[in-house]
């Protein structure tokens, strides 16, 4: 696979990485605005509407404001780790995109264990927060960091188990293969059981898995209603209290990149990735680039839909209390996802799909 | 492959340097962070060997979960740095002895391989035997030949988990806990009481 010349390979891979990063960054600028607009819409406000038409350039104005401000480092802070934390957050927010397949063959690195790689990178995301919170040498950031560590480790468990159900259905850990298995009609999507009408029996199981994955993704990315690491009513802004200017911007970009990555994950794992939900036989004579581009747009539309769901959750759900969060993670999601794994495994062994 | 050689030497250097810094860093939090760097580079070495499943497991389990808890604990410790440095001189002889023996053994192994001894005749382990990805290869032996050991490992972990719960679970008397079922089932009838108060007497309770 790929060109054999190392230099050509290097050039192509670098080009692909640049393309994905620029695409993600540009998308983030507008998704951030969309987030604020949706939130405003629910509360019957207008949201940002001053910079550019409909406020479309608001994110860019914010960007310049952040970059031009002074970086304040607290006196007692561990300087190296304090500055390293947002960088690590940003890097970990973006490396996950390396294995996301945008269209057939459009993926930076087609890893065999792509899904595990995504899980690993999202589990590393906690380091940026915990390092930032500790290095600030202040009470609120530290409490935020500790909360974040416990919260993210707890919800990774259920995310991992739910991912296993999808792996069992697809029989592969390669994200491209998982998406290809869901091609054709809409009932081939994993949320409907994956693999034709005969698998529709486990639809209830997979819908529950999808819902739990969505909620765990909210917790994993520290989004409301699980934004306890930065609960402003208790911890001012949690681990971000001491951060200003560009480091704060990096934290925020990383957070949003992680959220969009989670949206992409839900689309890939449960909703068929680039597959539109009906057989695309009529594109047989079209140039492959055009087809791929259209499929990538389908995938993008799914990501934007899930981002909308994330924004709605932020707008309408009140924040959880910390003990409720832990109870939900350990006493509800963990046993339920274990049962789901057992159910899907049994279906794969004894069901007609075996 | 020069590209692989560059990657190997870079990762190996980072692993060893991070390992050294784990023991020489003054601040224990820095030590844990260097430990994480070492884990991470070791995962990179696994990828170079073609064992991508092990690499990802190393990151998910050790870096993503175990090291986070390390960091969690170390950050909350109230450490006396002066006392730590005294300990360094105290443990130097025994630490040096262990390190010396390990170095000597590695030198012997390297020498045997270099002089075409017995060890060099073993072929390199194949990361994907029979052409299947190594995830599948591990699964095939883990759930067939080694299934009892696998179950036993699970049992050991279960015992450890139960032990931790038994050691730390205490039911303190007088603690008010939330019972969601009770809260939801609460009605005006059970939740309040209407009392007729005579003027100037108040309520007895």
């Amino acid at each position: 696979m790929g060109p054999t010349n190392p230099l050509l390979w290097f050039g192509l891979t670098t080009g692909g990485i640049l393309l994905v990063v620029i695409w993600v960054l540009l998308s983030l600028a507008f998704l951030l605005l969309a987030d604020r607009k949706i939130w405003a819409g629910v509360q019957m406000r207008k949201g940002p509407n001053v910079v550019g038409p409909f406020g479309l350039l608001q994110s860019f104005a914010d960007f310049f404001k952040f970059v031009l401000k002074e970086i304040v480092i607290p006196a007692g802070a561990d300087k190296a780790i304090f500055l390293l934390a947002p960088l690590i957050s940003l890097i970990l927010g973006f490396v996950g995109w390396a294995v996301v397949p945008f269209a057939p063959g459009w993926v930076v690195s087609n890893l065999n264990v792509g899904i595990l790689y995504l899980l690993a990178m999202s589990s590393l995301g906690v380091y940026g927060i915990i390092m930032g919170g500790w290095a600030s040498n202040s009470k609120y950031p530290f409490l935020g960091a500790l909360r974040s560590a416990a919260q993210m480790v707890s919800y990774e468990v259920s995310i991992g188990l739910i991912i296993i159900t999808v792996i069992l259905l697809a029989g592969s850990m390669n994200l491209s293969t998982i998406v290809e298995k869901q091609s054709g009609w809409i009932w081939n999507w994993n949320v409907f059981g994956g693999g034709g009408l005969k698998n529709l029996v486990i639809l209830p199981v997979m819908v529950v898995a999808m819902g739990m994955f969505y909620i765990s993704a909210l917790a994993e990315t520290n989004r409301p209603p699980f934004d306890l690491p930065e609960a402003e009513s208790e911890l001012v802004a949690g681990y971000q209290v001491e951060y200003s200017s560009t480091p704060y911007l990096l934290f925020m970009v990383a957070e949003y990149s992680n959220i969009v990555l989670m949206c992409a994950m839900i689309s890939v794992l449960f909703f068929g990735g680039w597959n539109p939900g009906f057989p695309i036989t009529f594109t047989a004579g079209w140039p492959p680039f055009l087809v791929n581009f259209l499929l990538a747009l389908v995938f993008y539309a799914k990501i934007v839909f899930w981002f909308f769901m994330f924004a709605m959750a932020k707008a309408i759900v009140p924040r959880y209390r910390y003990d409720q969060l832990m109870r939900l993670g350990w006493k509800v999601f963990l046993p339920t996802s274990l049962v789901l794994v057992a159910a899907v495994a049994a279906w794969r062994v004894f069901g007609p799909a075996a | 492959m020069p590209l692989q050689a560059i990657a190997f030497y870079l990762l190996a250097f980072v692993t060893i340097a991070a390992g050294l810094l784990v023991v020489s860093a003054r601040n224990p939090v820095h030590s844990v962070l260097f430990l994480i760097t070492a884990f991470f580079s070791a995962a990179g070495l696994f990828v170079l060997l073609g064992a991508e499943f092990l690499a990802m497991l190393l990151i998910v389990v050790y870096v993503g979960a175990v090291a986070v808890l390390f960091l969690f604990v170390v950050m909350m410790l109230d450490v006396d740095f002066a006392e730590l440095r005294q300990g360094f001189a105290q443990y130097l002889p025994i630490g040096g002895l262990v390190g010396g023996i390990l170095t000597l053994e590695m030198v012997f192994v390297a020498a045997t391989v270099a002089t075409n001894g017995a060890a060099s005749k073993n072929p390199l382990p194949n990361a994907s035997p029979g052409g299947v990805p190594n995830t599948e290869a591990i699964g095939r032996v883990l759930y067939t030949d080694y299934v009892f050991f696998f179950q036993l490992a699970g049992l050991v972990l279960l015992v450890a988990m139960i032990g931790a719960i038994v050691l730390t679970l205490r039911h303190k008397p007088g603690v008010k806990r939330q019972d969601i079922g009770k809260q939801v089932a609460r009605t005006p009838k059970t939740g309040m009481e209407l009392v007729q108060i005579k003027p100037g007497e108040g309520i007895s309770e």
Side-chain angles (χ1 to χ4, degrees):
Chain A
M1 207 203 84
T4 43
N5 185 344
L7 266 181
L8 189 66
W9 173 83
F10 185 76
L12 272 178
T13 312
T14 317
I17 292 169
L18 264 181
L19 210 69
V20 170
V21 167
I22 289 169
W23 175 82
V24 171
L25 276 175
L26 269 182
S27 302
L28 283 186
F30 292 105
L31 285 175
L32 224 158
L33 178 75
D35 197 22
R36 294 169 71 178
K37 280 279 190 190
I38 293 164
W39 207 9
V42 172
Q43 299 171 350
M44 293 190 186
R45 292 184 286 116
K46 281 198 165 171
N49 62 349
V50 176
V51 190
F54 311 107
L56 275 177
L57 300 176
Q58 180 68 42
S59 297
F60 298 95
D62 286 345
F63 171 77
F64 284 114
K65 192 185 84 179
F66 276 125
V67 169
L68 295 176
K69 295 250 174 176
E70 185 193 354
I71 299 176
V72 181
I73 299 175
D78 191 323
K79 209 170 176 180
I81 296 183
F82 185 80
L83 292 177
L84 204 62
L87 285 175
I88 285 185
S89 273
L90 185 80
I91 292 168
L92 291 173
F94 276 89
V95 284
W97 287 99
V99 293
V100 175
F102 294 98
W106 285 13
V107 51
V108 175
S109 171
N110 198 8
L111 274 185
N112 269 339
V113 286
I115 203 166
L116 266 185
Y117 172 85
L118 271 182
L119 186 67
M121 290 308 135
S122 73
S123 69
L124 288 185
V126 67
Y127 280 110
I129 293 172
I130 201 173
M131 280 163 73
W134 178 78
S136 299
N137 194 26
S138 160
K139 281 189 203 78
Y140 291 130
F142 187 57
L143 284 173
L146 291 183
R147 278 182 173 193
S148 162
Q151 173 181 338
M152 288 172 85
V153 168
S154 310
Y155 278 84
E156 251 150 45
V157 183
S158 64
I159 282 195
L161 283 169
I162 293 163
I163 281 176
I164 289 177
T165 61
V166 175
I167 296 174
L168 283 172
L169 279 184
S172 168
M173 290 205 236
N174 183 316
L175 287 173
S176 298
T177 316
I178 290 174
V179 176
E180 273 156 21
K181 285 256 164 110
Q182 303 176 58
S183 62
W185 288 105
I186 195 166
W187 48 77
N188 286 345
W189 291 2
N190 279 338
V191 70
F192 300 114
L197 286 170
K198 63 180 190 296
N199 263 1
L200 222 52
V201 182
I202 52 166
L203 179 140
V205 176
M206 291 316 285
V207 167
V208 171
M210 188 275 295
M212 276 168 43
F213 188 91
Y214 168 65
I215 295 170
S216 302
L218 286 174
E220 181 77 4
T221 52
N222 296 327
R223 275 286 279 200
F226 305 110
D227 62 337
L228 290 149
E230 45 188 292
E232 70 268 8
S233 52
E234 302 153 27
L235 299 178
V236 191
Y239 63 95
Q240 296 170 336
V241 170
E242 305 290 349
Y243 281 91
S244 57
S245 143
T246 317
Y248 174 78
L249 176 74
L250 296 185
F251 263 135
M252 206 165 70
V253 170
E255 196 185 319
Y256 271 86
S257 174
N258 270 325
I259 290 163
V260 181
L261 185 63
M262 278 295 173
C263 298
M265 255 175 108
I266 299 181
S267 313
V268 165
L269 295 180
F270 294 100
F271 290 91
W274 66 68
N275 293 306
F278 47 85
I280 37 168
T281 43
F282 54 88
T283 60
W286 298 11
F289 179 83
L290 185 68
V291 177
N292 271 8
F293 185 73
L294 289 178
L295 291 179
L297 278 187
V298 170
F299 182 47
Y300 194 51
K302 286 176 187 172
I303 294 179
V304 170
F305 170 76
W306 279 106
F307 188 83
F308 175 75
M309 295 300 284
F310 269 62
M312 286 306 278
K314 178 177 179 173
I316 58 185
V317 186
R319 181 181 289 133
Y320 260 53
R321 217 172 48 210
Y322 197 70
D323 62 316
Q324 291 171 333
L325 172 92
M326 281 295 154
R327 185 197 346 247
L328 186 72
W330 289 106
K331 292 190 179 169
V332 180
F333 277 14
L334 182 62
T336 318
S337 50
L338 269 172
V339 170
L340 293 185
V341 170
V344 174
W347 178 256
R348 286 289 288 166
V349 174
F350 302 113
Chain B
M1 277 293 272
L3 219 60
Q4 281 190 356
I6 294 171
F8 170 76
Y9 284 114
L10 196 72
L11 287 170
F13 175 76
V14 171
T15 313
I16 293 170
L20 263 179
L21 284 165
V22 171
V23 282
S24 60
R26 295 237 166 117
N27 192 329
V29 172
H30 292 180
S31 286
V32 176
L33 290 176
F34 282 122
L35 183 69
I36 291 156
T37 319
F39 280 152
F40 203 78
S41 329
L45 289 173
F46 270 130
V47 171
L48 278 183
L49 279 173
E52 69 267 2
F53 182 68
L54 282 184
M56 291 307 142
L57 276 196
L58 187 68
I59 292 184
V60 172
V61 175
Y62 282 94
V63 185
V66 175
V68 171
L69 297 179
F70 268 17
L71 204 60
F72 199 100
V73 172
V74 168
M75 275 178 180
M76 288 195 286
L77 286 178
D78 187 19
V79 188
D80 187 358
F81 294 113
E83 200 176 306
L84 271 181
R85 251 167 278 162
Q86 279 174 1
F88 185 73
Q90 192 185 339
Y91 294 118
L92 189 61
I94 189 153
L97 190 69
V98 172
I101 291 172
L102 278 178
T103 319
L104 211 65
E105 282 174 356
M106 276 197 258
V107 166
F108 280 138
V109 171
T112 345
V113 174
T115 55
N116 291 326
S120 68
K121 288 198 183 71
N122 289 335
L124 263 177
N126 190 355
S128 46
V132 296
N134 58 59
T135 315
E136 213 176 315
I138 289 176
R140 279 184 186 176
V141 291
L142 195 61
Y143 296 113
T144 53
D145 298 351
Y146 300 104
V147 65
F148 294 118
F149 300 101
F150 184 65
Q151 297 277 352
L152 201 67
L155 219 70
V156 170
L157 284 175
L158 182 69
V159 169
M161 196 171 81
I162 293 172
I165 292 171
V166 166
L167 285 177
T168 53
L169 185 70
R170 285 191 195 92
H171 287 289
K172 278 187 211 161
V175 176
K176 285 183 177 163
R177 287 183 196 282
Q178 187 185 19
D179 187 344
I180 290 183
K182 220 169 151 188
Q183 278 183 358
V184 172
R186 200 162 166 251
T187 58
K189 247 180 208 165
T190 57
M192 63 180 183
E193 191 185 353
L194 284 178
V195 184
Q196 290 290 336
I197 309 165
K198 281 178 189 159
E201 285 186 8
I203 307 172
S204 60
E205 195 184 5

